[in-house]
């Protein structure tokens, strides 16, 4: 595996693959990799000739009160995991390399679907994501890019942006990787105390319970209230419990495919999860 | 010359050039072509193997009170001019082809330098330009794109966007094409009455007079006031007369390279022009 830290050296590393018309798969990450990320790389390996993973903790997608400075940076361990799983090129640029010194004045802004769910409590977050992913798409020029379904809203925003801006790139969503007890894998799980770690799987349990209730014709509103009550009782501070269509449109009843979304805090750690519930 | 009206057929037309690693030059236009546009094509022919010109009257860059519906559409004449000057592929998509039916939610937004000059009176105009140019860049995937210096602010916005979003595209600005009497060529000149057409060159005359005055050490503020007075006397309704750096930063004196900008109406027709005044 090659590791490149500049746009120029990345281009040099990818040039032979481009000349040979090999397909390039791209997995953008912020590092601190777990099996969820590695699943994205495995999926990319299946579909593309060459796999590029980026590790870049992107300052412009963190709010002023968020954890940019303390976000875990574990490049050495990440690099070893990526090499083991067959990543071809790791792109790990500095903030300086990505944003430079000149005034930065351009943002890619996705409306509406960024104003629900996590967008309500994280102003500007998805603009930061859409902007950096646009830059990375231009730098890597992949044929296909891979995103985890755990950040379902992020995936929906990237899909919308890709379609709206006519990017010549296929977007693939990869199912959530979970611990044996059901907890969705996340870089933030490392912040949990042992006790919190034991409580955390209740999010996924409440989602699967909710699916069962929906299939027994319990009304959607009642099901959502019940998730909220269960998690609050277990010690979570709820940010949102919501149902939307897969494209993040509003939905009033379980009369089509829906996605159940939860964001909740255990202590200072904010966890998110979701579950697709197929109608047919 | 090939003419393509869909993204798919354009890709098919460009595929052999891409496989042969030929360089692609791109000239985005709204049609109603004049020598200014044709100069862009000639410049592209010099620098690139294959030249693509797009003709697309982009609805999202027109304000509610602007002339989208009445904007001149002269595809047949344009097509002939392009063929004569050696354009290889004309891309002339419909609004439906470019924007489709699905909800459009993504905008490319460039701050600060879009809020001066034309940006003040044309809210949202440059967002519309930046967004459609981003789409066209993704569709055509050129190596180099060519823009006229007449729309200096537009060129500056595209340069800023290209740098900020790491587009792998070189941007070339091409000098203003002028009629013999100095009037900057523009699609909008066709709206002028014979009488207005005779008055219109006074914009350029006032700019060249201003350059002379600056070289004789007349203070910048005085020079700008004088342009405004001369044009008002000649029957123009002034939108702005301003001096900025080439990157559209504020400037107080002629102590560096500057650009003089004028926007003014004759009757209902809004004309713009500019002149670079080199310091050294």
């Amino acid at each position: 595996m090659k590791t490149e830290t500049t746009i120029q050296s990345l281009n040099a590393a990818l040039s032979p693959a481009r000349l040979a018309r090999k397909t390039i798969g791209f997995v953008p990450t912020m590092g601190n990799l777990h099996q969820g990320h590695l699943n994205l790389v495995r999926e990319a390996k299946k579909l593309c000739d060459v796999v590029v993973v980026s590790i870049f903790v992107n300052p412009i997608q963190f709010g002023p009160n968020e954890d940019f400075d303390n976000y875990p940076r574990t490049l050495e361990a990440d690099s070893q995991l990526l090499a083991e799983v067959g990543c071809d090129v790791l792109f790990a640029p500095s903030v300086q390399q990505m944003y430079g010194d000149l005034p930065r004045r351009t943002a890619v802004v996705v409306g509406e679907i960024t104003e629900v769910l996590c967008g309500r409590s994280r102003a500007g977050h998805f603009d930061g994501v859409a902007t950096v992913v646009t830059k990375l798409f231009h730098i890597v020029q992949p044929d296909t890019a891979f995103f985890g379904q755990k950040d379902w809203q992020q995936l929906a925003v990237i899909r919308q942006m890709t379609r709206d801006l006519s990017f010549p790139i296929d977007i693939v969503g990869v199912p959530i990787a979970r611990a044996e007890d059901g907890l969705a894998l996340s870089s933030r799980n490392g912040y949990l105390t042992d006790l919190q770690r034991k409580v955390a799987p209740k999010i996924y349990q409440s989602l699967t319970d909710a699916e069962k209730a929906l299939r027994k014709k319990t009304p959607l509103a009642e099901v959502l209230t019940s998730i909220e009550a269960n998690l609050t009782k277990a010690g979570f501070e709820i940010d949102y419990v919501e149902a939307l269509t897969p494209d993040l449109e509003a939905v009033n009843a379980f009369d089509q495919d829906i996605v159940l979304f939860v964001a909740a805090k255990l202590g200072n750690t904010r966890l998110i999860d979701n579950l697709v519930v197929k109608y047919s």
Side-chain angles (χ1 to χ4, degrees), chain A residues 77-220:
Chain A
D78 292 346
S79 181
Q80 197 172 330
L81 290 170
L82 290 173
E84 283 166 19
V85 79
C87 167
D88 298 291
V89 182
L90 166 58
F91 179 51
S94 64
V95 171
Q96 164 68 24
Q97 179 66 206
M98 284 294 283
Y99 291 116
D101 288 324
L102 289 162
R104 193 173 52 77
R105 292 172 166 144
T106 309
V108 177
V109 176
V110 180
E112 294 165 85
I113 63 171
T114 54
E115 285 148 31
V116 298
L117 303 175
C118 291
R120 272 198 301 269
S121 59
R122 304 189 72 187
H125 168 68
F126 287 110
D127 293 353
V129 170
T131 303
V132 80
V133 170
T134 293
K135 280 175 76 77
L136 289 166
F137 280 2
H138 291 157
I139 292 166
V140 177
Q141 299 170 54
D143 298 277
T144 311
F146 299 80
F147 293 84
Q149 288 179 359
K150 176 165 164 290
D151 295 303
W152 188 281
Q153 187 174 14
Q154 171 175 282
L155 173 61
V157 167
I158 299 299
R159 281 193 199 284
Q160 178 88 45
M161 169 188 100
T162 300
R163 194 172 62 211
D164 285 348
L165 297 182
S166 307
F167 275 100
I169 300 175
D170 287 327
I171 305 299
V172 172
V174 177
I176 298 175
R178 298 185 179 280
E180 275 192 27
D181 58 13
L183 178 63
L185 298 190
S186 164
S187 298
R188 294 202 169 122
N189 294 349
Y191 298 152
L192 298 171
T193 64
D194 286 354
L195 192 61
Q196 286 169 341
R197 178 63 189 77
K198 280 179 189 134
V199 177
K202 284 192 191 290
I203 294 180
Y204 181 59
Q205 286 158 27
S206 72
L207 287 169
T208 53
D209 288 350
E211 174 168 14
K212 282 176 209 149
L214 287 169
R215 301 222 176 274
K216 285 180 193 158
K217 311 288 183 205
T218 314
L220 180 56

